[in-house]
Amino acid sequence: MHKPLSAKRRLGLALAGMLVVLVFISSSYMLYSNGTQKQSQAPARQVFTYATADNLKQQVHLPDGSILSMGGGTNVSVHYYPDSRVIKLSKGNIVVDAVEDKQRPMIVEGGKGKVIASGNRFNVRRDGSVLEVAVAAGSVRVNAGSWWNQTSKYVNEGMRLQVSQSSELSDVQRIERPILEY
């Protein structure tokens, strides 16, 4: 017959079980964040905010040499971190001509999606929580969902996809024009 476990032994087993769960959760977070979480650990070295009126377009030359073309009614902030360049698109439509920098990828965050590129030309349109991405040159990776349930797709030149309000990635589709109007 088995002898019942003592209270100390049960407590030890419970603590060991919690430790295993904690290690699993933290390693999953590190694995699925794809390195894009680093920017939140340190304050941005530079932050720039841009906005356009509903009927105006604007082109901005960023400090790293990238060009940001904004359509009417667009709000963005650009954050330069030691390991990334992050554009936070609150609303509107942008075309990004990103200077290649493999050490500091260009990341566009908006709605339920995140676009990651190193040096490419691509368009991102945000309408509420829906994000549409089209690529004119190069390729980008689009991530959607929470860190524990993230999905990714690559979008190549001449292709597009959408990220829905529910963080679903559409199929990658060919576009007729290589870049959407901004």
Side-chain angles (χ1 to χ4, degrees), residues 13-81:
L13 288 173
L15 288 174
M18 288 190 302
L19 181 61
V20 167
V21 170
L22 182 63
V23 168
F24 174 76
I25 290 171
S26 63
S27 64
S28 296
Y29 177 75
M30 298 294 282
L31 179 65
Y32 291 107
S33 67
N34 293 322
T36 58
Q37 294 301 109
K38 292 180 187 176
Q39 78 230 10
S40 63
Q41 294 177 354
R45 290 188 177 168
Q46 294 177 302
V47 178
F48 304 93
T49 303
Y50 305 100
T52 58
D54 286 339
N55 57 349
L56 294 177
K57 296 178 181 182
Q58 182 179 359
Q59 193 172 70
V60 177
H61 293 265
L62 300 174
D64 68 346
S66 298
I67 300 171
L68 180 63
S69 302
M70 300 182 297
T74 298
N75 289 331
V76 299
S77 60
V78 182
H79 303 251
Y80 284 93
Y81 297 95

Side-chain angles (χ1 to χ4, degrees), residues 5-177:
L5 295 176
S6 69
K8 281 185 179 181
R9 182 115 170 121
R10 283 191 308 243
L11 178 63
L13 288 173
L15 288 174
M18 288 190 302
L19 181 61
V20 167
V21 170
L22 182 63
V23 168
F24 174 76
I25 290 171
S26 63
S27 64
S28 296
Y29 177 75
M30 298 294 282
L31 179 65
Y32 291 107
S33 67
N34 293 322
T36 58
Q37 294 301 109
K38 292 180 187 176
Q39 78 230 10
S40 63
Q41 294 177 354
R45 290 188 177 168
Q46 294 177 302
V47 178
F48 304 93
T49 303
Y50 305 100
T52 58
D54 286 339
N55 57 349
L56 294 177
K57 296 178 181 182
Q58 182 179 359
Q59 193 172 70
V60 177
H61 293 265
L62 300 174
D64 68 346
S66 298
I67 300 171
L68 180 63
S69 302
M70 300 182 297
T74 298
N75 289 331
V76 299
S77 60
V78 182
H79 303 251
Y80 284 93
Y81 297 95
D83 59 355
S84 62
R85 305 165 288 171
V86 179
I87 298 173
K88 297 182 180 183
L89 178 60
S90 300
K91 69 174 190 171
N93 188 20
I94 59 174
V95 175
V96 181
D97 287 294
V99 169
E100 185 171 1
D101 185 345
K102 294 199 184 289
Q103 301 304 314
R104 291 186 341 154
M106 179 70 75
I107 300 169
V108 178
E109 298 175 349
K112 304 285 183 173
K114 184 182 293 188
V115 181
I116 303 166
S118 62
N120 314 14
R121 184 164 202 253
F122 58 98
N123 172 259
V124 182
R125 180 186 312 263
R126 180 174 180 184
D127 184 11
S129 294
V130 176
L131 203 67
E132 183 175 9
V133 180
V135 179
S139 69
V140 300
R141 184 177 79 222
V142 180
N143 294 350
S146 303
W147 61 267
W148 65 87
N149 190 26
Q150 191 172 79
T151 57
S152 296
K153 287 189 180 179
Y154 284 89
V155 184
N156 296 316
E157 186 172 321
M159 306 298 278
R160 71 176 198 82
L161 71 64
Q162 284 188 337
V163 180
S164 72
Q165 290 178 333
S166 60
S167 300
E168 297 288 325
L169 293 173
S170 72
D171 291 334
V172 177
Q173 302 170 347
R174 182 160 301 284
I175 53 176
E176 295 191 20
R177 291 191 311 245

